Amino acid sequence: ETGRLQADVTVYMTDITGAQVSFIDRILDRNITKNIADQESDGLEFSVRFAATDSLTLSLYGAFLDAEIVSFPDAVCTEDERATGRCREEDDPTGPEGTIDRSGSPARNAPDWQFTGNVAWELPTIVDGFTTDLDLTFMATADYVTDRSFSRVVDMGQEEDINVSLRFGPEEGVWSFLVYGRNLLEPRPRYNPELDLAGDGILTDSGQVTTVNYASYGARFTYNFE
């Protein structure tokens, strides 16, 4: 229905005890699994959907998050913590050798805020009996820790991204042809050389780059058999 507005708001507080996290210990060259003693995640999420016209719908999703590691006394050290003497050098009552107290640190993969906006538009008819739909999604996020050992040598900075698709097909929906572009702004992890105190040879952010950090393009044909 044109002019209709739909909105939702959710507020939550989550206390997680014993969450498992996996680390890469680059000194010992092996994977280590530990439990975070206590982690809290408090946040607010909202969504707004507005039917501007019969053919145009606008949507916005947003989230604000405060995620903190409340207690994690025996986290695996990073290379920089070892190099600067902040890591436990021997077993003691507070934790084993090669660990550090990470209580009070930000949680991993938890940006303080993120927004997603969407435009779904049925374009004016070009050919009688056919429809053309444009879908445009814009995303933005604050910076956040990505490294499994909670290092900031490589992390995600504040980034934006865009996905777009265009679908063409008959009104009865027997078939459709779609072209798309994803991750068009190519958000990439950033390298922070001023934090690379260990001087361990990390020169780029390539170690954490995946396929979602590159723009991709494609086409898809769909046929519905009756």
Side-chain angles (χ1 to χ4, degrees):
E1 181 180 345
T2 300
R4 184 175 180 179
L5 177 68
Q6 178 181 344
D8 295 287
V9 177
T10 301
V11 178
Y12 61 89
M13 294 179 290
T14 306
D15 190 355
I16 304 171
T17 301
Q20 278 197 342
V21 287
S22 180
F23 300 89
I24 296 177
D25 190 319
R26 297 182 178 90
I27 302 299
L28 301 176
D29 194 25
R30 63 187 178 92
N31 197 71
I32 297 176
T33 300
K34 286 183 173 289
N35 291 332
I36 297 177
D38 189 13
Q39 177 175 317
E40 289 184 357
S41 297
D42 304 327
L44 180 148
E45 298 180 356
F46 71 88
S47 63
V48 179
R49 187 174 183 271
F50 177 58
T53 70
D54 290 337
S55 58
L56 176 63
T57 301
L58 307 176
S59 303
L60 176 65
Y61 164 82
F64 298 92
L65 178 64
D66 179 16
E68 179 182 300
I69 298 172
V70 178
S71 178
F72 194 7
D74 58 349
V76 173
C77 289
T78 66
E79 298 96 318
D80 299 291
E81 289 164 343
R82 292 175 185 269
T84 54
R86 289 179 288 166
C87 189
R88 293 185 181 98
E89 296 182 359
E90 59 184 26
D91 294 346
D92 62 42
T94 62
E97 177 186 0
T99 64
I100 190 171
D101 188 348
R102 215 171 292 286
S103 303
S105 299
R108 188 167 65 93
N109 294 327
D112 290 341
W113 55 263
Q114 57 183 355
F115 297 99
T116 301
N118 178 261
V119 176
W121 186 16
E122 183 179 334
L123 300 177
T125 300
I126 300 176
V127 180
D128 288 341
F130 289 83
T131 61
T132 304
D133 299 314
L134 173 67
D135 189 277
L136 177 65
T137 300
F138 174 81
M139 296 156 283
T141 180
D143 65 316
Y144 56 93
V145 177
T146 56
D147 189 82
R148 287 201 277 175
S149 296
F150 294 86
S151 169
R152 279 275 190 180
V153 173
V154 177
D155 65 4
M156 284 296 294
Q158 179 177 325
E159 295 287 352
E160 298 79 35
D161 202 3
I162 295 176
N163 293 340
V164 62
S165 67
L166 186 67
R167 188 191 68 84
F168 176 78
E171 293 178 350
E172 61 271 19
V174 175
W175 60 266
S176 65
F177 180 73
L178 180 141
V179 293
Y180 63 84
R182 297 172 182 160
N183 309 312
L184 298 184
L185 300 184
E186 298 191 326
R188 302 283 183 88
R190 65 181 177 185
Y191 171 59
N192 301 299
E194 72 280 5
L195 300 179
D196 191 8
L197 304 179
D200 53 8
I202 297 178
L203 300 178
T204 69
D205 56 14
S206 59
Q208 294 188 18
V209 171
T210 67
T211 55
V212 300
N213 302 123
Y214 294 93
S216 61
Y217 307 90
R220 182 175 70 238
F221 177 79
T222 302
Y223 185 89
N224 297 317
F225 293 93
E226 297 181 355

